[in-house]
Amino acid sequence: MRIQAKRHDSGAHERSVRASISFPEEQYQVLERIAAENKVSLAWVVRDAIDGYLKSRWPLLPQGTDAEVAQQRSERS
């Protein structure tokens, strides 16, 4: 996987990792429809779904990509 630094509107850099993911055709078509209906990218839909999954799985951890960092820290302790 490739790690990239991205700059957000606040000027802060956030590291991101590029991943290639395969979906069953039916799931992919549903994701494309959701993206088109909401006028967002398919990548945004997938990131939003993953963010929701992480929030439901580890509700006491920070939101979004911070959840992964917090989980890694807790595993080291």
Side-chain angles (χ1 to χ4, degrees), residues 7-70:
R7 184 179 292 249
H8 293 278
D9 293 338
S10 64
H13 287 280
E14 178 183 304
R15 290 173 55 142
S16 64
V17 177
R18 181 172 295 273
S20 176
I21 302 171
S22 298
F23 297 99
E25 187 174 349
E26 185 177 313
Q27 284 182 349
Y28 188 81
Q29 290 172 352
V30 171
L31 292 169
E32 281 188 315
R33 188 174 68 242
I34 292 168
E37 288 172 0
N38 291 284
K39 299 180 181 169
V40 296
S41 68
L42 188 133
W44 186 93
V45 172
V46 172
R47 285 190 301 267
D48 188 55
I50 292 169
D51 193 47
Y53 170 79
L54 291 174
K55 287 176 188 174
S56 69
R57 178 83 186 228
W58 293 290
L60 299 178
L61 295 179
Q63 296 178 3
T65 56
D66 294 337
E68 182 178 301
V69 173

